[in-house]
Amino acid sequence: MSLTGNGRHFNANANYTLNNLFFANSGRTLIRHQLNSNGTTEVLRDLFFVDGRAAILQQNAFLFGSQAPDNANLSGNTRNIRTWSISPYARHRFKNLASGEVRYARSGVSSSQRNFFNNSSDAFIASLNSGSAFRTLGWGINYTHTEISRKRAGMDLGKIELERTTGTLRYVVTSQFSLIGTGGYERNSFISIRGKPSSHFWTAGFSWAPTRRTNLSASAGERFFGKTFSGSFDHRTRRTLWNASYVEDITTFGQQSLLGGAILDAGSLGQLPGLGDSTNLLNQGLPLNVSDPNNFLTNRLFLLKRFQASLTLNGRKNSLIFRVFTLSRKSFSPDQEDADLIGLQNALLTRDTRQTGGNVLWNHRLGPRTNINVNFGYTQFQFNATSQTNDNIIATLGINKQLSEKINASLLYRHLRRLTKNTNNFSNDFSANAITAALNMNF
């Protein structure tokens, strides 16, 4: 079921899918719910707004388990994740001198996984940034305070506070090139196994936009966990789209879940993209997200470092997408916080992990109503504490055909393979083949 509403002062979108799955060989039935809803309303014109979001999804719970590409797969490693957030905020522009925003965000994340710390958070965010009156030297002041409450089986497990105050200076060298510096202090109240979690910080960098189609920014600095870097690159031509980004931050499973990360519902793998626009192809997530990094379940805080890059080539009949990524997660909380969740041995295994991979997607349009999709994806999981690695491969071949204005048909073949190395336990090795046929009618 899909609901979309747009008005002068609000917009809302809600998409709900019910999968009622019957497994013929075992006679088992399984019900899966998926929800993705969001909305924004303007309470007071140009001043006060409210954002809201709610989601129910399934995802692969742990790196050391089988990685299911959709929620119909009985891998034993999929869990329900429920997220929600509501955020009232006020914005005001002080003519051309500055613009400010004050926001409060209340959110929650819970899982069907036993011994996972369901959490809710309260965040207060305030910012004041210079306006167009400051042409050469711009400035900004930003403050964030997040308080995360954790519970398990109704028992309160204490709170975590993350607070940061940041000052920013931007020196405009030319209309295309600017130097940017930040400095401030962050105060974090959690038990850290890697030193004091609070300190002053600073970064220095630049932004460069030589054309309207090209943007490049980069920065380097120091935070309580050591040296830190960030950057982004975007470039567009008539036939190509280039993207690259790198980020680092202290975060939690819940904070990452609020950004998304579902696996597909039981029918989606049969609905491969057939659009000619390369941007739409890239944003479809089909079948790109079957080889995305896994935001695996953990109760610990961790340092996340993520690099991703993509290149889209779009022609009259062919679109080609290349994508690579690497994501590392290093725990800053004690292993004992995950001992009941996954066992102390697995907590040690996932203390320091890296996921590296990518995929190639080729879309060929045979005609105005028919297209073929070929995707090959590879991801390696590295467990640095034990030198264990897992190789995950997915290959898909699909055809999409628009039978009429209201009827679309698709056929997909999928091959999965997982290989575990540098360990005496090979029980997680597997291979699987699947054929999915789908017929969709709009009326």
Side-chain angles (χ1 to χ4, degrees), residues 156-406:
D156 193 344
L157 299 169
K159 296 181 179 180
I160 293 173
E161 288 185 86
L162 306 174
E163 184 182 62
R164 188 186 305 182
T165 305
T166 307
T168 303
L169 288 177
R170 182 186 186 99
Y171 179 69
V172 180
V173 181
T174 70
S175 60
Q176 300 172 336
F177 185 81
S178 298
L179 298 174
I180 304 171
T182 69
Y185 186 82
E186 57 184 316
R187 181 184 64 85
N188 302 311
S189 63
F190 63 88
I191 299 174
S192 172
I193 61 173
R194 303 183 188 275
K196 185 181 178 181
S198 302
S199 75
H200 292 89
F201 67 89
W202 64 270
T203 66
F206 68 90
S207 67
W208 183 42
T211 70
R212 289 183 299 174
R213 295 172 174 264
T214 306
N215 286 280
L216 173 65
S217 64
S219 68
E222 193 90 22
R223 290 182 62 184
F224 72 89
F225 53 78
K227 295 180 179 179
T228 184
F229 305 91
S230 67
S232 66
F233 172 70
D234 294 283
H235 178 65
R236 181 190 294 269
T237 69
R238 190 168 65 92
R239 295 290 188 184
T240 66
L241 179 64
W242 306 70
N243 299 101
S245 63
Y246 178 77
V247 295
E248 297 180 352
D249 204 1
I250 293 290
T251 185
T252 67
F253 169 83
Q255 289 175 314
Q256 292 301 301
S257 292
L258 289 167
L259 301 177
I263 61 175
L264 306 174
D265 70 70
S268 292
L269 276 176
Q271 304 169 29
L272 297 176
L275 304 175
D277 184 358
S278 61
T279 305
N280 288 332
L281 263 176
L282 190 62
N283 292 335
Q284 283 286 319
L286 297 171
L288 294 177
N289 68 350
V290 296
S291 48
D292 268 351
N294 182 349
N295 176 33
F296 58 87
L297 282 167
T298 180
N299 294 320
R300 292 174 285 185
L301 281 87
F302 53 86
L303 172 61
L304 178 145
K305 299 181 179 182
R306 178 167 183 168
F307 170 79
Q308 56 187 13
S310 66
L311 167 62
T312 302
L313 306 172
N314 190 33
R316 188 172 62 88
K317 287 190 174 184
N318 295 280
S319 293
L320 195 60
I321 299 176
F322 300 91
R323 192 178 66 126
V324 295
F325 64 82
T326 180
L327 180 144
S328 68
R329 288 171 50 160
K330 181 178 290 187
S331 296
F332 268 64
S333 300
D335 296 341
Q336 285 74 15
E337 295 207 354
D338 278 347
D340 293 334
L341 178 69
I342 55 178
L344 195 55
Q345 183 177 356
N346 285 327
L348 173 63
L349 185 69
T350 56
R351 178 191 295 173
D352 186 1
T353 64
R354 180 180 297 274
Q355 303 174 56
T356 305
N359 61 295
V360 179
L361 170 66
W362 173 50
N363 173 262
H364 176 66
R365 291 168 285 282
L366 290 173
R369 292 176 173 237
T370 308
N371 61 84
I372 294 175
N373 298 274
V374 179
N375 179 70
F376 176 80
Y378 169 80
T379 305
Q380 183 180 80
F381 299 157
Q382 297 172 271
F383 303 92
N384 296 326
T386 62
S387 299
Q388 177 180 321
T389 62
N390 293 342
D391 294 330
N392 299 271
I393 298 170
I394 182 169
T396 64
L397 172 63
I399 183 169
N400 237 347
K401 186 171 181 61
Q402 191 76 34
L403 299 177
S404 68
E405 183 181 352
K406 296 183 178 181

Side-chain angles (χ1 to χ4, degrees), residues 114-118 151-157:
R114 187 182 175 208
N115 292 322
F116 172 72
F117 296 172
N118 296 331
K151 292 184 178 180
R152 183 179 66 189
M155 181 174 60
D156 193 344
L157 299 169

Side-chain angles (χ1 to χ4, degrees), residues 5-69:
N6 291 292
R8 291 182 59 189
H9 303 292
F10 80 94
N11 64 73
N13 296 278
N15 294 279
Y16 169 75
T17 300
L18 169 66
N19 296 139
N20 192 7
L21 307 169
F22 175 72
F23 297 88
N25 288 341
S26 65
R28 180 180 177 183
T29 54
L30 188 65
I31 295 177
R32 301 283 202 191
H33 302 276
Q34 289 199 326
L35 171 69
N36 186 12
S37 61
N38 61 77
T40 298
T41 183
E42 185 180 33
V43 181
L44 298 176
R45 185 177 179 181
D46 296 329
L47 178 63
F48 187 65
F49 309 82
V50 179
D51 293 342
R53 179 186 174 193
I56 303 172
L57 55 89
Q58 291 81 51
Q59 75 156 70
N60 292 302
F62 307 114
L63 289 189
F64 47 79
S66 302
Q67 303 297 298

Side-chain angles (χ1 to χ4, degrees), residues 71-120:
N71 68 358
N73 192 296
L74 292 174
S75 66
N77 192 35
T78 57
R79 302 293 186 272
N80 293 315
I81 306 296
R82 297 169 293 274
T83 64
W84 61 269
S85 66
I86 185 166
S87 177
Y89 59 100
R91 287 177 176 170
H92 183 68
R93 184 180 296 276
F94 302 92
K95 296 184 178 180
N96 65 340
L97 294 177
S99 60
E101 179 177 306
V102 178
R103 179 187 291 264
Y104 167 75
R106 172 76 174 173
S107 61
V109 178
S110 60
S111 171
S112 61
Q113 172 64 35
R114 187 182 175 208
N115 292 322
F116 172 72
F117 296 172
N118 296 331
N119 63 79
S120 61

